[in-house]
């Protein structure tokens, strides 16, 4: 089953890219900075640019009819299995046209009451906690925008 999900992502992505290139849809996404014991949680996606996978933050798209906060909570739960209990703190937003979409990304911060996480192996290749003074490199360019907020 896991193999089929990976295969779907690899096959579907070129079609999405072609669609986005032609139609330039307006989309919304979320990124969540999660802290536990002076450490931040970073992930590496199973997909990405070329052979180098950058460290980034949990997040994803906002579904139609979904609030930004609900999308952030859902994406964190789906990707790293963390159910955030504290209210999310809104950090700000930024615009990007990566992958040809006109995407507004809403950024949030929350603390976790545990360092436990369980990745979704279809989307996430690796996830680790990093002390704030020892953050991983390379960041994705979008991750740098979140950190700047």
């Amino acid at each position: 089953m896991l193999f089929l999900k990976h295969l779907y992502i690899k096959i579907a992505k070129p079609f999405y890219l072609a669609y986005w290139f032609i139609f330039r849809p307006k989309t919304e996404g979320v990124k969540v900075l999660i802290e536990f014991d002076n450490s931040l949680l970073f992930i590496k996606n199973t997909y990405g640019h070329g052979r180098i996978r950058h460290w980034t933050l949990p997040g994803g798209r906002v579904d139609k009819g979904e609030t930004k906060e609900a999308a952030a909570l859902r994406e964190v739960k789906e990707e790293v299995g963390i159910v955030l209990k504290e209210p999310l703190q809104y950090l700000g937003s930024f615009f990007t046209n990566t992958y040809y979409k006109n995407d507004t990304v809403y950024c949030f911060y929350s603390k976790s009451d545990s360092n436990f996480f369980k990745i979704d192996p279809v989307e996430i290749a690796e996830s680790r906690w990093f002390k704030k003074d020892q953050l991983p490199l390379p960041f994705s360019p979008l991750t740098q925008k979140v950190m700047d907020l």
Side-chain angles (χ1 to χ4, degrees), residues 10 13 43-56 98-99 123 125-126 136-141 143:
K10 289 187 185 263
K13 186 159 185 173
I43 64 170
K44 283 187 179 182
N45 293 104
T46 56
Y47 50 87
H49 293 296
R51 293 164 41 158
I52 297 176
R53 292 198 175 102
H54 294 94
W55 287 101
T56 187
T98 305
Y99 299 119
E123 287 191 65
E126 183 179 359
L137 294 175
F139 277 159
S140 73
T143 301

Side-chain angles (χ1 to χ4, degrees), residues 27-30 60-68 70-72 74-75 78:
T27 60
E28 295 180 324
V30 293
R61 75 170 188 261
V62 178
D63 290 334
K64 188 173 184 170
E66 186 177 39
T67 67
K68 285 106 178 127
R74 175 184 51 77
E75 286 290 345
E78 287 176 2

Side-chain angles (χ1 to χ4, degrees), residues 7-49:
L7 185 62
Y8 171 76
I9 288 173
K10 289 187 185 263
I11 291 172
K13 186 159 185 173
F15 292 104
Y16 283 123
L17 289 173
Y19 174 84
W20 296 333
F21 180 78
I22 293 167
F23 295 103
R24 311 286 170 142
K26 182 179 176 185
T27 60
E28 295 180 324
V30 293
K31 288 287 185 185
V32 184
L33 190 61
I34 304 169
E35 181 179 1
F36 174 78
D37 194 29
N38 205 35
S39 295
L40 301 173
L41 185 65
F42 285 84
I43 64 170
K44 283 187 179 182
N45 293 104
T46 56
Y47 50 87
H49 293 296

Side-chain angles (χ1 to χ4, degrees), residues 28-34 41 43 57-93 104-112 123-124 146:
E28 295 180 324
V30 293
K31 288 287 185 185
V32 184
L33 190 61
I34 304 169
L41 185 65
I43 64 170
L57 300 168
R61 75 170 188 261
V62 178
D63 290 334
K64 188 173 184 170
E66 186 177 39
T67 67
K68 285 106 178 127
E69 294 81 2
L73 294 171
R74 175 184 51 77
E75 286 290 345
V76 167
K77 184 177 179 187
E78 287 176 2
E79 291 184 351
V80 292
I82 295 175
V83 177
L84 296 173
K85 295 183 178 151
E86 289 192 21
L88 297 175
Q89 178 183 344
Y90 178 67
L91 299 175
S93 65
T104 302
V105 180
Y106 299 91
C107 306
F108 296 93
Y109 165 86
S110 184
K111 288 188 176 184
S112 177
E123 287 191 65
I124 311 301
V146 178

